[in-house]
């Protein structure tokens, strides 16, 4: 048992209302719709409460023992809406079947970090969520002890019931909740020993699963409100262009169209947040009307004059600029250990390879959208946003309001992948509602969504490795460049494992908006690095897993440098686990060719072995074996789903996807030209193994994606003898014709 | 604008819309059935899949004037209590991640199973290839379809 101080955002635990004011009644339909841990047909275990008692910001207990647990963070498909409440329920010691999950809105007084990004919800939420459950349980125990006039430590709990063994008395949480509501919040609290966990570590179904498969309203796109109008924006057709004029009158007479005007989401003097960086088209035309189809038709009919504002860029220019960087040393080095120049000079063998990848769009399945109802004294905003706490200050500033006049609700999101970190669409919806003087739902068409993205930058990286006469890697050099930011992480592996090491970064500024895309930078660099190490191992005549393990041994026992951004033993651990589980022996057998890859990012470690078979002379991924170390696994069922999703996403984008530009204009604007992985291209089987080490949990939304492309490329090399250096792989016609 | 009489999920509905309005928007904006999703609008993603007389069609590419007396079924009408074997299998395999594509996936799979009660892996991949899942739940979708097929026997 761990005793910890409850200093973590203590405001969250202070009771939020008194008994008298706190009880309220909710309709049955609300309960049925939330209690979806199991199919609706299954009987609700406890009856609908008449009264609820707010215990703290994370939970309230009904008089029948049903518990409502708030999920504080945005849900983008990473399944925190199930996992975060599981952690609270664990420490509260309540049966999961008695839990109703509710999505919290933005409330910076009650919650910290209501953000979906960097795979951090679980890692950073862990302690606070446990405390929320544990303090509530403690208050229930204290209230019971007082009532029965016994010592608190004579009481035990199980599944929402408090027991006093000596007297044989018992009482349900629902019966004592009113009294607990008046208790002081403990200064210190004991947390469960992980070996006593009953909910954490067990398979629990997505709390919204039943709603999803029956098509109930869940997403921002689904919002329908009284008097609500539909709004769309028209943005410049190419990066570098800006609005000059438009003929609004011509479309105002079209059926259903009520308003056509321009908006500016970046007027002088408005303080911007980091999450506004993706907003490259501040001046837009807005069209407001009755129905989506009417507005879509008006949008097509609108004539707009655009004029050049900055240079029009093409993909060929980016390629040329990045290639040029590969031959140039930057002014400053990112990291240097030992004397790389000298080591390369005396090398027996030097391996040098260059890797590249194009821009990528996020393409969340649900296009950008947001609901806004702006009136004279308040703004009610609701929809899919990964960063509500950063959207609010900008929205308030734009509307000339204080932050407490602006509320932001969070809907379930049809994907995020980083796109919804950048809330330009929130600002657009707010300004449109204000000007139209009506509640509006702003809807992007797929084309709007794809052609004004915050893209993953185009990247290029060159690696060099020096081998001595005994095939030891004596020096390692990485030089990376990207269209806004280099993909290289100077302190990541193999930094720390090589005596002579040099990392260099270049950046090509571009007016094409870029931003975080699932596992930023890692999504490219892991593939490049792990493909390169595979070739170096081959040149050194070593098994690729053993070669990597040798480097980790060095990094663990005698690390080079002070600052290495990984734990070499945990890194090696996932490789050893996958070597064992996949029965790796480095050879192809029975027509199955294999590749391996491992990467550490977002605090979790992943190693993968991919099996490739040749079908009609084409390599096809038949199976993926995956080992993961994310510490304690909260919900293995959905953890595996995340791992599988990341793997399929990673294979898909490396294989098929890319965004290119001609004179600032995107070449792809919908799924007919932008290719995403489909059913027939997904691996037939994915097997996931978790390291069981009891370490505090880390996230899974991103970590399985970065390494997979390299495991695939390395397996294709084993199958065909050909190496893949540029993404999308499908463009390499001689290998993947 | 013109008046259309439609049968949706067994219920008569009357709408007054332009003849070129896609059924997707008729369902979502006029009849408040929002389970059918917009993903691309050009027949490329399958998020908008509904049944027209029992067969899967892309409602974004089906204009209201073409429907006539053909019956439309949406995800909301696939089963009375959300207990179609596919819906149950989807829950059993915990298929959804973000969930946005899943109504279309289920509707497409339902049409597949009504034409082929015991599809092979290749037949599933072939029939489902028009339904994109950006979250990458394909392996689970396949497993869920197989489970449902077994149940439906
Ligand atoms: S919205 Fe109809 S196929 Fe994509
Ligand atoms: S579950 Fe997110 S798109 Fe399929």
């Amino acid at each position: 048992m761990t005793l910890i101080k409850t200093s973590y955002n203590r405001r969250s635990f202070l009771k939020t209302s008194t008994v008298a004011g706190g009880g309220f009644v909710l309709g049955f339909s609300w309960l049925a719709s939330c209690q979806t841990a199991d199919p609706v047909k299954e009987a609700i275990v406890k009856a609908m409460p008449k009264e609820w008692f707010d215990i703290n910001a994370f939970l309230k207990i009904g008089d029948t023992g049903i518990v409502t647990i708030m999920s504080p963070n945005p849900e983008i498909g990473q399944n925190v809406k199930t996992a975060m409440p599981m952690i609270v329920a664990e420490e509260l010691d309540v049966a999961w079947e008695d839990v109703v999950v509710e999505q919290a809105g933005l409330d910076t007084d009650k919650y910290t970090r209501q953000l979906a990004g960097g795979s951090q919800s679980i890692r950073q939420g862990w302690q606070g969520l446990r405390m929320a459950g544990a303090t509530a349980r403690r208050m229930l125990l204290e209230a019971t002890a007082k009532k029965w006039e016994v010592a608190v430590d004579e009481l035990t709990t199980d599944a929402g019931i408090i027991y006093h063994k000596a007297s044989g008395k018992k009482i349900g949480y629902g019966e004592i909740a009113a009294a607990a509501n008046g208790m002081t919040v403990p200064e210190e609290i004991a947390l469960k020993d992980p070996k006593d966990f009953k909910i954490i570590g067990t398979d629990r179904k997505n709390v919204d699963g039943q709603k999803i498969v029956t098509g109930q309203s869940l997403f921002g796109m689904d919002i329908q409100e009284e008097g609500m109008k539909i709004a769309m924006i028209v943005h410049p057709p190419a990066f570098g262009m800006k609005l000059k004029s438009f003929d609004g009158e011509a479309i105002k007479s079209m059926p259903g169209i009520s308003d056509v005007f321009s908006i500016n989401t970046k007027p002088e003097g408005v303080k911007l947040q980091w999450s506004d960086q993706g907003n490259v088209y501040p001046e837009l035309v807005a069209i407001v009307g009755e129905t989506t189809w009417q507005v879509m038709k008006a949008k097509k009919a609108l004539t707009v004059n655009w004029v050049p504002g900055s240079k029009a860029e093409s993909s060929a220019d980016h390629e040329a600029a990045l290639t040029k960087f590969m031959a140039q040393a930057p002014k400053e080095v990112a990291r240097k250990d030992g004397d790389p120049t000298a080591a390369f000079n005396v090398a027996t063998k030097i391996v040098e390879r260059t890797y590249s990848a194009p821009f990528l769009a996020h393409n969340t399945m649900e296009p950008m959208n947001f609901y806004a109802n702006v009136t004279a004294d308040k703004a009610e905003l609701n929809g899919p946003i990964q960063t509500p706490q950063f959207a609010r200050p900008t929205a308030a500033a734009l509307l000339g309001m204080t932050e407490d006049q602006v509320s932001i609700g969070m809907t379930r999101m049809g994907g995020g992948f980083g796109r919804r970190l950048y809330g330009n669409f929130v600002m657009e919806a707010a300004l449109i509602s204000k000007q139209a003087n009506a509640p509006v739902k702003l809807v992007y068409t797929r084309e709007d969504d794809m052609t004004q993205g915050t893209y993953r930058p185009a990247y290029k990286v060159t690696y060099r490795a020096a081998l001595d006469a005994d095939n030891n890697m004596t020096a390692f050099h990485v030089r990376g460049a990207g269209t806004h930011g280099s993909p290289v992480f100077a302190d990541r592996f193999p930094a720390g494992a090589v005596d002579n090491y040099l990392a260099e970064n270049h950046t090509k500024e571009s007016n094409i908006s870029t931003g975080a895309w699932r596992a930023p930078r890692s999504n490219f660099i892991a593939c490049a690095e792990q493909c390169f190490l595979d070739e170096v191992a081959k040149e050194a005549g070593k098994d690729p897993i053993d070669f990597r393990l040798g480097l980790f041994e060095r990094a663990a026992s005698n690390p080079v440098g002070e600052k290495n951004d990984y734990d070499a033993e945990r890194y090696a651990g996932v490789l050893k686990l996958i070597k064992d589980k996949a029965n790796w022996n480095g050879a192809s057998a029975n027509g199955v060719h294999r590749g391996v890859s491992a990467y550490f990012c977002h605090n979790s470690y992943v190693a993968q072995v991919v099996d490739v078979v040749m079908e009609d002379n084409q390599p096809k991924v038949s199976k993926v074996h995956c080992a993961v170390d994310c510490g304690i696994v909260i919900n293995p069922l959905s953890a595996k789903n995340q791992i599988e999703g990341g793997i399929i996403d990673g294979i898909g984008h490396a294989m098929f996807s890319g965004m290119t530009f001609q004179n600032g204009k995107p070449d792809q604007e919908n799924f007919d030209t932008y290719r995403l992985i489909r059913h027939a291209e997904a691996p037939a089987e994915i097997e996931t193994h978790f390291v069981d080490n009891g370490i505090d949990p880390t996230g899974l939304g991103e970590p399985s994606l970065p390494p997979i492309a390299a495991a695939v490329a390395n397996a294709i090399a084993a199958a065909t003898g050909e190496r893949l250096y540029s993404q999308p792989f499908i463009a390499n016609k001689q290998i993947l014709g | 604008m013109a008046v259309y009489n439609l049968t949706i999920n067994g219920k008569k509905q009357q709408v007054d819309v332009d003849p070129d309005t896609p059924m997707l928007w008729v369902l979502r904006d006029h009849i408040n059935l929002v389970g059918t999703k917009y993903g691309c609008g050009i027949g490329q993603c399958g998020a908008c899949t509904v049944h027209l007389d029992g067969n899967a069609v892309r409602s974004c590419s089906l204009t209201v004037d073409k429907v006539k007396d053909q019956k439309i079924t949406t995800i909301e009408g696939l089963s009375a209590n959300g207990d179609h074997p596919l819906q149950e299998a989807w829950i059993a395999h915990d298929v959804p991640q973000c969930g946005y594509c899943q109504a279309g996936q289920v509707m497409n799979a339902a049409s597949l199973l009504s034409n082929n009660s015991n599809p092979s892996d290749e037949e599933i991949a072939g029939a489902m290839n028009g339904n994109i899942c950006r979250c990458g739940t394909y392996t689970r979708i396949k497993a869920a379809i197989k489970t449902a097929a077994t149940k439906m026997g």
Side-chain angles (χ1 to χ4, degrees):
Chain A
M1 202 149 44
T2 354
L3 257 193
I4 56 167
K5 292 243 179 282
T6 57
S7 57
Y8 173 96
N9 193 21
R10 255 183 79 83
R11 275 174 307 177
S12 306
F13 309 126
L14 301 178
K15 64 182 184 334
T16 50
S17 57
T18 61
V19 186
F24 59 97
V25 179
L26 292 159
F28 178 77
S29 61
W30 175 83
L31 176 66
S33 64
C34 291
Q35 191 168 9
T36 49
D38 288 295
V40 282
K41 295 179 279 52
E42 280 185 28
I44 287 163
V45 181
K46 289 189 165 63
M48 174 64 200
K50 285 203 177 57
E51 218 177 355
W52 290 91
F53 306 99
D54 289 353
I55 307 293
N56 57 42
F58 289 88
L59 65 100
K60 55 190 174 214
I61 299 180
D63 54 13
T64 61
I66 297 270
V67 179
T68 292
I69 301 184
M70 306 303 290
S71 185
N73 283 27
E75 171 63 59
I76 56 178
Q78 82 282 44
N79 208 20
V80 291
K81 194 173 170 184
T82 306
M84 295 181 99
M86 280 173 70
I87 300 169
V88 177
E90 179 68 69
E91 291 288 350
L92 179 62
D93 205 13
V94 67
W96 184 244
E97 292 67 30
D98 295 336
V99 171
V100 170
V101 172
E102 201 182 320
Q103 175 70 53
L106 176 65
D107 191 334
T108 45
D109 285 338
K110 287 183 181 171
Y111 309 109
T112 53
R113 199 184 181 279
Q114 287 182 286
L115 188 149
S119 298
Q120 294 300 308
S121 296
I122 293 296
R123 176 169 172 260
Q124 297 197 31
W126 173 242
Q127 209 71 288
L129 294 164
R130 292 183 79 187
M131 278 192 262
T135 49
R137 176 178 171 273
R138 178 74 191 186
M139 287 154 74
L140 292 161
L141 288 178
E142 281 176 7
T144 308
K146 203 165 147 196
K147 181 183 167 92
W148 290 343
E149 297 177 338
V150 298
V152 177
D153 52 16
E154 286 172 31
L155 302 173
T156 57
T157 59
D158 184 35
I161 297 171
I162 298 167
Y163 296 90
H164 185 244
K165 207 171 165 205
S167 65
K169 281 190 198 161
K170 63 174 183 174
I171 188 168
Y173 284 2
E175 297 162 75
I176 197 71
N181 184 281
M183 294 273 120
T184 30
V185 179
E187 286 290 329
E188 230 176 26
I189 195 74
L191 297 177
K192 275 189 182 176
D193 186 323
K195 76 171 169 25
D196 298 326
F197 284 164
K198 298 170 195 162
I199 297 173
I200 291 173
T202 61
D203 288 349
R204 302 292 166 167
K205 307 242 159 85
N206 189 324
V207 293
D208 281 337
Q210 191 68 21
K211 283 187 176 176
I212 290 168
V213 302
T214 53
Q216 294 178 53
S217 172
L218 275 172
F219 300 94
M221 272 285 194
D222 303 341
I223 293 174
Q224 309 272 19
E225 296 285 350
E226 193 59 38
M228 183 188 90
K229 293 184 183 276
I230 299 292
M232 289 195 180
I233 49 108
V234 183
H235 68 81
F239 289 89
M241 304 286 277
K242 59 180 193 180
L243 178 66
K244 182 162 179 249
S245 61
F246 60 97
D247 185 5
E249 288 311 311
I251 60 165
K252 264 194 193 154
S253 55
M254 290 179 73
I257 302 304
S258 49
D259 258 317
V260 186
F261 50 79
S262 65
I263 54 167
N264 183 357
T265 54
K266 277 186 178 175
E268 296 265 309
V270 166
K271 185 170 173 281
L272 299 175
Q273 307 291 316
W274 68 268
S275 54
D276 296 307
Q277 65 167 275
N279 189 355
V280 289
Y281 291 135
E283 282 179 272
L284 304 158
V285 183
I287 306 172
V288 182
E290 290 308 312
T291 70
T292 314
W293 185 243
Q294 288 171 331
V295 181
M296 275 184 176
K297 280 171 78 171
K299 184 166 146 66
K300 281 204 185 103
L302 180 71
T303 313
V304 188
N305 288 316
W306 310 103
V307 288
S310 56
K311 192 175 172 295
E313 299 176 16
S314 296
S315 291
D317 308 332
H318 300 140
E319 173 63 22
L322 298 182
T323 301
K324 206 165 142 204
F325 277 139
M326 291 302 100
Q328 281 173 12
K331 286 195 192 76
E332 283 171 34
V333 302
R335 171 164 170 163
K336 188 171 157 186
D337 297 324
D339 188 345
T341 310
F344 276 107
N345 281 340
V346 299
T348 306
K349 202 186 264 182
I350 294 175
V351 189
E352 178 178 330
R353 301 288 184 266
T354 296
Y355 302 84
S356 57
F359 286 90
L360 291 178
H362 292 85
N363 289 329
T364 58
M365 212 62 215
E366 178 194 22
M368 297 308 110
N369 66 85
F370 226 78
Y371 171 82
N373 186 10
V374 178
T375 52
D377 56 353
K378 68 179 191 334
E380 195 192 319
L381 309 176
N382 193 16
I385 177 77
Q386 290 179 248
T387 50
Q389 73 197 70
F390 295 99
R392 188 165 62 184
T394 307
L398 268 178
L399 297 169
M401 291 182 172
T402 57
E403 273 201 63
D404 53 18
Q405 288 174 289
V406 180
S407 68
I408 302 189
M410 290 184 252
T411 51
R412 187 178 185 86
M413 285 178 247
F417 312 109
R419 175 62 186 89
R420 289 184 161 105
L421 294 168
Y422 311 106
N424 57 306
F425 46 89
V426 180
M427 310 315 149
E428 292 158 14
L431 289 181
I432 295 170
S433 170
K434 184 177 177 182
Q435 176 129 4
N437 197 20
V440 300
K441 178 169 66 179
L442 169 71
V443 172
Y444 276 26
T445 63
R446 173 58 59 195
E447 290 81 4
D448 293 334
D449 188 279
M450 205 179 286
T451 59
Q452 70 153 334
T454 48
Y455 307 103
R456 193 279 300 270
Y459 286 131
K460 203 176 265 295
V461 65
T462 296
Y463 286 100
R464 291 193 304 145
L467 296 173
D468 67 11
D470 298 325
N471 282 320
N472 296 308
M473 188 162 76
T474 50
F476 191 90
H477 174 203
V478 53
R479 178 181 291 162
T483 49
H484 199 77
S486 165
V488 174
F489 294 90
D491 295 322
R492 285 193 183 170
F493 182 76
V498 195
D499 286 314
N500 304 292
Y501 174 89
L502 177 63
E504 298 171 324
N505 294 322
H506 284 287
T507 185
K508 153 114 186 81
E509 289 311 326
S510 167
N511 62 9
I512 293 172
S513 48
T514 55
W517 190 104
R518 195 177 195 178
R521 298 151 71 197
S522 304
N523 57 41
F524 165 73
I525 205 73
C527 175
E529 172 203 298
Q530 291 292 306
C531 284
F532 181 65
L533 287 179
D534 208 67
E535 284 208 67
V536 176
K538 195 153 184 135
E539 292 290 337
K542 293 178 183 165
D543 173 84
I545 292 188
D546 294 344
F547 174 67
R548 287 169 173 84
L549 289 176
L551 293 171
F552 287 125
E553 221 170 273
R554 166 70 203 272
S557 61
N558 179 22
V560 182
E562 305 282 283
K563 197 169 148 253
N564 296 316
D565 218 353
Y566 59 94
D567 178 327
E569 280 168 19
R570 290 180 78 182
Y571 224 141
V574 284
L575 268 169
K576 287 177 188 161
L577 182 63
I578 208 60
K579 186 177 180 181
D580 174 44
K581 294 289 181 185
N583 289 318
W584 173 273
N585 62 10
S588 301
N590 306 324
V592 177
H593 309 277
R594 305 187 117 181
V596 66
S597 175
Y599 205 65
F600 167 65
C601 61
H602 304 279
N603 312 96
S604 296
Y605 299 80
V606 173
Q608 290 151 342
V609 166
V610 158
D611 295 350
V612 154
V613 293
M614 296 300 287
E615 269 177 21
D616 305 326
N617 265 329
Q618 287 290 305
K620 185 168 168 41
V621 176
S622 57
K623 182 167 178 178
V624 177
H625 311 254
C626 185
V628 181
D629 178 356
C630 59
I632 292 168
V633 181
I634 308 298
N635 183 358
L637 182 66
S638 69
K640 282 185 188 149
N641 203 346
Q642 283 304 301
I643 297 295
E644 292 161 13
I647 285 170
I648 292 172
D649 191 3
I651 294 177
H653 282 91
M655 275 283 197
F656 305 115
S657 306
M659 201 73 202
T660 53
F661 301 87
Q662 303 295 334
N663 296 317
K665 188 176 180 328
D667 291 324
Q668 296 77 18
E669 51 177 39
N670 206 324
F671 298 134
D672 49 349
T673 44
Y674 192 105
R675 191 165 162 197
L676 287 171
I677 189 167
R678 289 174 181 273
H679 276 270
E681 294 142 352
E685 199 186 342
I686 300 171
E687 203 175 87
T688 304
H689 310 274
F690 292 102
V691 174
D692 183 6
N693 56 15
I695 296 173
D696 282 357
T698 52
L700 287 175
E702 293 162 288
S704 74
L705 184 146
I708 189 65
V712 171
N714 293 338
I716 290 176
T720 64
E722 301 287 341
R723 294 276 171 182
L724 294 158
Y725 299 105
S726 62
Q727 295 182 21
F729 294 159
I730 196 82
N732 300 268
K733 295 275 182 244
Q734 74 286 6
I735 309 170
L736 296 157
Chain B
M1 307 269 268
V3 173
Y4 294 92
N5 290 300
L6 304 164
T7 310
I8 298 165
N9 299 332
K11 246 170 84 183
K12 297 259 178 273
Q13 301 277 3
Q14 198 176 67
V15 291
D16 187 4
V17 295
D18 274 349
D20 65 350
T21 309
M23 270 312 296
L24 169 64
W25 300 114
V26 172
L27 293 167
R28 292 185 57 85
D29 285 355
H30 299 269
I31 309 180
N32 201 15
L33 290 172
V34 294
T36 306
K37 296 293 192 254
Y38 167 70
C40 69
I42 58 165
Q44 287 286 325
C45 76
C48 64
T49 305
V50 299
H51 293 175
L52 188 64
D53 275 347
N55 292 313
V57 293
R58 309 296 184 225
S59 66
C60 70
S61 310
L62 171 72
T63 53
V64 65
D65 60 331
K66 299 275 154 36
V67 175
K68 308 252 160 49
D69 53 4
Q70 299 172 93
K71 293 182 180 57
I72 288 188
T73 309
T74 70
I75 186 73
E76 292 92 340
L78 181 65
S79 63
N81 302 307
D83 56 358
H84 184 284
L86 279 164
Q87 288 167 316
E88 291 184 334
W90 244 247
I91 297 289
H93 289 271
D94 204 38
V95 174
Q97 283 188 30
C98 83
Y100 193 79
C101 74
Q102 299 296 347
Q105 305 275 2
V106 170
M107 292 308 283
N108 204 71
S111 169
L112 161 68
L113 290 187
S114 64
N115 295 317
N116 178 353
S117 60
N118 186 22
S120 66
D121 283 15
E122 287 67 38
E123 286 168 334
I124 292 174
M128 299 299 293
N129 223 33
N131 287 73
I132 294 173
C133 175
R134 175 65 184 82
C135 299
T137 63
Y138 296 128
T139 46
R140 277 170 197 250
I141 289 173
K142 184 177 70 182
I145 292 174
K146 297 196 123 185
T147 298
T150 314
K151 241 202 200 144
M152 289 164 82

